[in-house]
Structures are given as structure tokens and as C-alpha cells.
Amino acid sequence: MSGGVEIPVRVVDVEQATETVKRFRLAPLSGEALPPFSAGAHVVVTMDDHGRRIRNPYSLIDRAEDGSSYRIGVLRVPNSRGGSKFMHENVKAGDRLVITMPVNLFPIVRTGRKHLLVAGGIGVTPIYAMANELKRRSAPYEIHYAMRNEASGAFIDELRAAHGDKLKLYRDDMQEFVSVSEILPNQPLGTHLYVCGPEGMIEAILKGGREAGWPEENLHCERFLAPTGGEPFSVVLQRAGITAEVRSDQSLLEAIEEAGVDAPFLCRGGACGQCETTVVSCDGELDHKDHYLTEEEHASGKKIMICVSRLKGRELVLDL
Amino acid sequence: MTIQFKSETFRDDFTFSNSPEAIRRFPFPFDKDEYMYAVNIEQHMPGPIKSPYEFPIDIDEHYVAEMRDRALVLKEDPLRCQSLPHMLTAEWDLVELLMESMAKNYPEHFELTREGDAWHWINRPLGIDQKFTFGDTSTLPYPPMEYITRQCQGDFCLCDQRNDDLWMDAGIVTTQADWSLDFDVGMSFKEWHGPVPLAHDIGVFDRALKFLLNLQQGRPVRRLNWTMTINPRLDTSPENYHKWGIDRTTVTPENVGNKVHLRVELQALWRLPRSNAIVFSIRAYLIKMEELVTIPKWGRRFHRVLRDLRPELADYKGLTRFRQMTVDYLAKHDDGAPTSPGFFPD
Amino acid sequence: MLVSDIKSRPVYKGLTVDDAARRHLVAAEGEGALAVLEAFGDAPEAWSRMTLLYTPGGSAPANHAEALQARAPDAFHLHPTRQTLMTRLRALLDTATMGTRLYATGVEGFIGQVVAAGIEHGVDHFSIRTEHRGSLARRVQCVHCKGFMDDVTVSPVTCAHCGVPLLVRDHYSRRLAAFQGVSIDAECPGDVPAAEEIFK
């Protein structure tokens, strides 16, 4: 429960959108309407893989008007610790899952005058919801959607139908790339830019924005990190008096949960700060992967975001 | 459970008073015999039956009279209700939260029917029957926040979340402890708390802000705050301070029990779904000293709290002129006996 | 730098030049001219991308306008009053594009009005570069009648609009670009302490 209110859902539809992307429609078991959400929000999905609990965050694509379902999009990741693989291989219509209440770490800036939405690959899922919300509000916006090739663009048809010529596509195989020098000039004062996609793309777009003289306050990105595996190590939860092994295919947070300790979390992607934990001691190097702590905090060795970061060493002692 | 709404005033002849039941359910804010700022935030979970925490939104015997007083304040000064243009979605979120909660928990007084966006709201105590389209401002007689908060006890502020901060970008504030919405609209969390002494230095606002930025939908929180007011006046605004400030000089040993009120704010915060904004509700409860001392534990405890309060806090809360007289009055109701832990009467 | 423990008062961090900006939109008042001269120095390429609005205020005798003009900003608007400067600034903001960096320097009341105009045009106030120069005079709003007074140097001060004697509180509103004035004798009518010149 440390991730907030949980909602048991049933998968009512699975759609193979592209070779590597599936869309899942989730309906509440209770029959009560799912709450509305603000564009950019995600839910954490809990999967039960034969007793092994996997939790992954996925951006919400949309909500049925009557609240009867949410949709999420899942990319199959080759070196997944199991979450996206499980969703792709095991989850069928009729199956049960548990989701958290929506949490938004990538909101539209409501004071903005215009909004540039830039998506790469599966990063389109929050952008999709944002575009719909902006359209509903009659706010000015543009969508710039990059993909490997047209066949891998999981949301082209729906976006084109809803947004017409506000949508611009960039296909790698046709040598089309999002060029900041083309999309950034001449935007009116008060325009905000939002980018979600591969890390390299995010960096390039943000860098381009800064070089074009855009203030930091107008540049926004979502860097959800799927926690990667790594070398196994031991974790000692000092207050609970528990020692657990962190396997190479699980995150520190997952190992702590498996040991029966309820640690706080919200995004499970290194962004929100909720799982910040005090390091009592460690006999190796902390492998920080989050975007929340400052460089100084990383260097201090006193804090760790347990959802994505690990230890390169033998034993980590936490104040939990 | 039907509430008997009282006919009473919060100005001019000040006929406000609490029934014995209202006294027993008063949200007494001290669980110890002393007071200092703390991040006293807890989950806004349903509390004991008949307590002000039983339901997310508390409606009590003062409802009708408070709504009349709010209408008078707004008529005199429309700036008490303001909303920056980007807060409209949050306003609608608030309409949903308040109507749903009031209709669910007080079905004999309020009724809400929803067919998609076609909503039908009935408010029996105020004689309102309104059909409207959710999301369409032109179907209500007031903007959405103003419409519903003219029908709900407590002040409300809507906070937009951006740049890792909360910005008070809308609100309706007519029952405040001496702060001006008109002045504070657009401020960040720490800016609008700027005048509060001591608490900044002990990091109270840093911790509270960090906590609230991650406030989750479906997990509201609450805290209590308090001050004291002379006469049961809800509208102790800075705007009208030059009119009510003089009240503080009218306390005498003869009238202290009737004139001096403990004013408790039940503050609750919700994450709103469509807007990702946070609504901050500030519900004021008033109790006269002579009503308070009918609960012996509270009389003893408040005597000790007020007697030992740090002078900076007494000044900030505006208690200095009548504090000693109130302490003297309460001393007669404090036999020195130990008090039991917790807020509730013995 | 103006150092203050007033929590609601903005921090004026100084006019650092944003080299990436396509356009420097600079609003300066009085001694703020010196901040502009110091910050932009003699880098001609920065001045060539600058639209500069200046009102001398009390600094007219020092003739900073001439010094500013000598650096050849791309556009230079000299204004007789703050009000005329603000009118021009708003017109420029109406058509400005992203890549424009807004700067404000001078007395606090002036900076506040420039920042408020920026916010009205969708500029995040954190992105506006500001430097305080000149006196510590405050712009004050009477909380009772909502009237504004510029260049207040004393507290208490009598409201020029409604006549209520006001204590100038250490509480600042960015939206109003003003400190708050509250009745000082509400609890003791007529008992108003002598005005002290504390915002020099």
C-alpha cells in the first residue's frame, strides 16, 4: 500500500498495435468508475508472475468517457527484468492486475500559452494524453512524433484522426528527424516544450531548446527509467532487522518488497523522490541512476533512490 | 441524521453559539498541555461518528448561517473570490469533490444525479435545485468554484503544481484568520506562509511542501491550526481589520467568557484528478471560552497552553491584548489535575 | 545584492546575460542603467541583439541614458516615466517570441511591475533576470481600499487613497508588485507612531 490507493482491474482488451507495442484496456473489478486523470499521469501496474511480484509504471493513454476503462501502451523491451515481457507474453484479456491511482510527474504547465509535444517511440503514450487534453481545452499545440518507420508508429492513425495537421511525423527510415532549429524559432512567448522518448532524443531536444534561448522553466521531459538489473548484492534493513538478497534480475525496491517490508514509492522510475532512503553504510560503490537527487547528494553516499539504483559491492545497509 | 440548522449571526449582534452537541464535537486542537508548530499532517481518514472528521466534508448546525454570512462578505468585496484563468479545470474538480461528498454523506440535505455531463444538484437547506452541464461554465449562475463554495462551509484555495512548488492560483476566502487572498493569489507555498514566525527556521515548510508535492489522489490529508477571535466573527480579514481590530480592546473580566473564542481551522488537502491541482480547505470552528470550559479537560489544557505560549506566537496570532485576561479566566477552571493524552473529552 | 529574510520577497539574483538568447529585452529604471552597463559590458554582439527600455527616474542628472545609447543597443526606447515604459514593454511582449530573455533592473517597485507584465504574457517569473539598484523605496498596496503608492520610504504611511494610516508589512505580492499596507491604529484609533524613514 505504500504506493497509494490500489485499484484491482481486469484486462478487457489486448491490442497488438505494432510488432513490439501492445495496448491494454483495463476495467475496474469493482464496477465503479475509474477516476479521471490529468494528462501525463502514470499508474504503477502490479503483475503476479507465479508468486513473483513485478511492478512497472506505465503512462495512461486515455480513459473511457464513462470511466469504465483506462488504456496503457507497453513496449516490449529486450533486456527487460520481466515486466514488459510478462505483459506481452502472459497477460490476456480476462486476466486480473492491480494498478495504483494515477500519479502525474509530467503535467502540462497550465500557465503556458502554447505547447510543443515531442515524442519518440513509446514515449508517445503521455504525449497522446496531453494532446487530447490540449485539444479539449482548445489550447494551441503541435505534436512532433518520431519513430523508426511508419510500421512502428503505434499511435499514428489515432493521432492523425484526432489532431489532423497538428501532427507531424518523423520516420528514421526516411531520414526524417525532429530538428529543433526548425520547430523552435518563432514560437510565441510562453510556449512550453515537452519531450518523452529515448534518453538520447531527450538530451538532444533539451540541448537544442537551451541553445535556442528557451528558459529551463519552459523545457520539460519525462525520463522514466526502467530499472535495469545488475550484479547481485545483499541489503540489510537495519530497523526491520532483515537481510535480503537483491538478485540480478530485480531492483532493490523489489527485493525489499519481496522481503515483506513496505517501502514507499510512487513512480518506480527514479523521478519522484518518494522512495528516497538513507544509507547507513555500504562496502562498495552506490550505482545511482535516478534523476531526483542532486549530484552532491549522489556523491555524499548518504541517500539512495531504491527504485532504480543499486550497489556495486557486497552489502548495503539501509535505514529501513 | 437530520441536522437542525441554526439561525444566527457572525456580525453586528453576534448571536452565534454552539449547542451542547456542537461543543462535544468541537475539534479541540491540543493533545498536550503545550503548543509549538509541527508538521502535524495526518491522513484525512474517516474519524469517530459525529466528530468533524466523520466525513471528508463536514456540514454542521451552523451551515445555513455561515453561507448567509459568506454571501454578505462577497457582496461587499468580490475580491474574496478569485481564480487565475488556468485554474478552471481545478474549479470543476472541486465541484465534483464537494457535491459528491456532500450528497453521499448528507443525503437528506443534498442530492446529486449524474447522467454523463448532465448533472442535477439539489441543496435543500439553501433551497437550490440546479441542472447544469459539467464542464460548461455558462450553465451555472457563478463560476464553478464560486458556485459550489457558496454552498459549502470553509474557505478553499486551489493550488497549481509546477516548478516543484504549489502556487495558490485560486480561492474563496471569507472566514480567514487575518490573511488576504487578494494579496496572496499567485504566491508559492513558502511565500504565502511568509509571515508565519519561527516555523520557517525549523524547516516545517520545507518538509510540508515536499510531502504535499507527492500528495496522492484518493489519499487526502489534514491538520489542525488555531488562533483566537474576539466575538464570533468569521470574517476577520485584513481588508476589514480597521473595522474589527478594535474588538480586541473590548474584552473585560466580565465578558471574557462570552467574547473570547478559540478558533480552530480544520485544514484538509486533496489531490484533484483532472487538473493535478491540490485543493486546500480551511474550515473554521469557533467556541466561546464559557462553552470550552464545559469540557473540564479542555478548560484545564487550554489554560496551560495559553499561559505558556511563546510571545512571538501570541503576537503573530494577535492575542497579546487579551491573553492575560483569558488566562485569568481559564485559571479558575484549572484545578491543576493532570490531563489525559489526546484531543477528545474524557 | 539586496539581502532580506522576507520569505515572500523575490530574490534579485543579478543581471547575468543569457548568451543563448536570441533577443535581450531589457527594462531598466534609474540606477539600473549601471547594472545593464556592467552586465552586458562591451560585448557588441549582445548589445546588437538588445531591445532596451529605459526611464531615468530620479537618476536623470547622471545622464545614464547617454552611456546606454553609446553602447548601440539594437533598439533603444527612452521613456519619461515608468508608466510610458510599461506601455511600450507590454506592446513588445505581445509579439515577442521564445528565445527572448527578459531582464529588469532598478528599484524594487519597478522590477515588480516588469515581472508582473512578463507573467501576464506567459513568462515564468523564474526565467526573468533581475537586479535591484537604487533606493529601497517600496511600492505599497493598501489592503483596505486596494490603492497603490509608489516609492514609499516611510512606515507608517498614510494611504494616499483612503487616508488610513498604514503599517508597511514585510509581505510582498508578485502579482501586485507591492508590499502590503495594513491599518496601524485599528486597535488604538488615533495612536499612530511617528513615521520613520526605513526604506531608503
Side-chain angles (χ1 to χ4, degrees), chain A residues 200-230:
Chain A
M201 175 188 192
I202 291 177
E203 287 310 324
I205 298 282
L206 294 183
K207 182 162 172 280
R210 286 182 206 112
E211 285 170 0
W214 285 47
E216 283 298 329
E217 291 77 15
N218 295 61
L219 301 171
H220 315 276
C221 67
E222 171 130 287
R223 309 164 189 264
F224 255 137
L225 298 172
T228 51

Side-chain angles (χ1 to χ4, degrees), chain C residues 70-101:
Chain C
R71 303 286 174 95
D74 179 50
F76 182 66
H77 304 276
L78 184 61
H79 292 278
T81 60
R82 281 187 218 172
Q83 201 187 339
T84 56
L85 184 152
M86 290 306 301
T87 304
R88 177 66 52 89
L89 178 67
R90 287 200 172 85
L92 291 168
L93 288 169
D94 281 341
T95 55
T97 53
M98 290 302 291
T100 303
R101 177 67 71 169

